[in-house]
Amino acid sequence: MRVPSRSPGQQPGSPVSSTAPARRRPSGTSPRRLTAAEPDLVAYRAAVAELLVEVGALADAASARARQVLIDERLREPALAAVLDATPQGLIGARETLLLEMARYQPNERTSARDLTALVRIYLLSRIDVLWWQDAPTFVTDDQVNGSADLVDLEWLRRRDLLRFRYQEQPATVLGRAARGLRRRLRPDSTPQTAGLLFRRARREVVALLNDLAREFAAAAPPNTPPLWVTSLVRSAEHQYRLRRLGYAAMLPSGHCLGYSVDVELTWFERFGAREALAELLLTRQETGDINVIDEGQAWHLCLAPAARRRLRRAYEAEMGV
């Protein structure tokens, strides 16, 4: 099991051709020092990886009490407690929420949490998103998403050939769902097996990030590999609750409900021999500090880091000519 790790700071890059930070630190400079208000995410991700090994060893139903004791003890360790205590829920709230999620967990075909270990990984690593964006306003309702001036219409950009990535919308009618089902039966591998986007809207900085990732992926992937495929973008809290009721591992609070998180397809690219290239690209972006990455199986969850926001906003404006 591979758990993404490392998250140092970043340096500005080219605003249009690539928004990726420089990979080397200039000579004569020292590593960025963490402040008291900035928990060590390298240590946090490493501690999560160690905890997941122990959770996996206690995965059977008879070990429920032992799992609770383990969570109680490990979350209080400095590397984990520093991050969780800095989130709005605090350490105690995060612990109670995680234990409740574990107690309620029921495996199903929809959830990205295929087992308890995956559930713990998704929850704990998603707390980095919450730590980063805890002061950002939540899109509470579907109407707020559709009416927000902070989001742009992807279809408007796509029709003008300004997007380097692909997506598909959820069918809005019974006829549309029937047509989607027929296409999947006739050509089951032509597109990823996902429901599609309920909202075709995104923050400008996220569009710039995805365009840049798509360009890097196109350069690194084997010939004839399709473009980067986005499976989820902004969601309302209203929709997040709907997903939870359907059995999805939709955590709350969530970076999706703030507009700074996205999910990108990984599994589908195996048939093109490109999955590892995409995974490596995403982990490299995490190392440079642009994003937080969570391996959720078929799709990987990404969250834009606040430190990269201004640079990516400038990149969007330069690329779109606004």
Side-chain angles (χ1 to χ4, degrees):
M1 173 174 56
R2 185 178 192 183
V3 178
S5 62
R6 301 185 60 204
S7 179
Q10 73 287 324
Q11 301 171 6
S14 170
V16 177
S17 62
S18 175
T19 59
R23 299 291 187 255
R24 297 179 180 274
R25 182 182 293 114
S27 60
T29 64
S30 58
R32 182 172 61 98
R33 293 188 178 184
L34 297 170
T35 66
E38 187 177 6
D40 187 345
L41 299 184
V42 177
Y44 180 77
R45 292 187 178 107
V48 169
E50 293 175 1
L51 175 58
L52 294 177
V53 174
E54 296 179 274
V55 171
L58 298 172
D60 58 288
S63 299
R65 176 58 183 167
R67 286 195 302 269
Q68 179 174 340
V69 172
L70 172 66
I71 295 297
D72 281 339
E73 293 179 350
R74 292 299 301 272
L75 294 192
R76 299 178 190 277
E77 293 181 358
L80 293 170
V83 170
L84 298 177
D85 203 40
T87 64
Q89 279 188 306
L91 172 60
I92 300 303
R95 167 194 171 276
E96 294 300 320
T97 300
L98 176 55
L99 290 174
L100 184 59
E101 293 283 354
M102 295 173 70
R104 291 177 173 176
Y105 173 74
Q106 292 290 335
N108 63 78
E109 294 182 354
R110 289 172 169 167
T111 182
S112 56
R114 295 303 180 186
D115 53 32
L116 274 174
T117 302
L119 179 73
V120 174
R121 178 177 68 247
I122 292 168
Y123 178 79
L124 289 179
L125 293 181
S126 69
R127 298 310 88 187
I128 295 175
D129 304 1
V130 176
L131 168 71
W132 279 347
W133 295 108
Q134 57 186 287
D135 295 327
T138 297
F139 294 106
V140 178
T141 67
D142 295 354
D143 288 342
Q144 286 181 358
V145 174
N146 289 321
S148 175
D150 294 327
L151 306 175
V152 293
D153 185 357
L154 294 184
E155 190 64 13
W156 189 91
L157 296 174
R158 186 191 67 81
R159 291 176 180 175
R160 289 155 179 79
D161 195 30
L162 294 173
L163 298 183
R164 306 279 74 84
F165 57 92
R166 290 183 183 173
Y167 63 91
Q168 65 181 4
E169 295 182 68
Q170 290 186 20
T173 65
V174 173
L175 182 60
R177 289 191 290 271
R180 173 75 58 82
L182 178 60
R183 284 196 298 271
R184 284 182 174 175
R185 287 193 295 272
L186 296 176
R187 301 179 61 194
D189 297 321
S190 61
T191 61
Q193 297 295 310
T194 63
L197 304 181
L198 179 61
F199 307 103
R200 65 182 193 199
R201 297 171 63 75
R203 290 190 181 272
R204 293 161 178 81
E205 301 90 335
V206 171
V207 172
L209 171 67
L210 291 171
N211 270 350
D212 201 46
L213 290 174
R215 281 187 287 265
E216 289 191 17
F217 180 49
N224 301 317
T225 299
L228 182 75
W229 193 285
V230 176
T231 64
S232 182
L233 282 162
V234 62
R235 303 174 191 157
S236 65
E238 180 182 359
H239 184 54
Q240 195 81 340
Y241 279 110
R242 287 197 293 265
L243 293 176
R244 288 177 64 84
R245 288 193 293 269
L246 290 171
Y248 291 95
M251 300 300 174
L252 288 164
S254 168
H256 284 288
C257 301
L258 307 173
Y260 292 106
S261 291
V262 306
D263 296 338
V264 297
E265 177 70 26
L266 263 289
T267 298
W268 184 61
F269 287 106
E270 289 179 350
R271 65 193 304 265
F272 305 100
R275 185 188 186 282
E276 288 306 311
L278 179 54
E280 189 62 32
L281 186 161
L282 298 178
L283 292 174
T284 298
R285 276 302 182 99
Q286 177 170 266
E287 290 175 356
T288 57
D290 273 2
I291 57 176
N292 181 42
V293 176
I294 307 174
D295 178 352
E296 296 189 354
Q298 177 183 343
W300 281 20
H301 170 100
L302 318 177
C303 182
L304 174 67
R309 180 185 181 186
R310 181 176 297 180
R311 173 166 48 82
L312 287 166
R313 180 60 176 261
R314 290 197 301 264
Y316 175 89
E317 293 171 352
E319 187 170 1
M320 305 302 168
V322 296

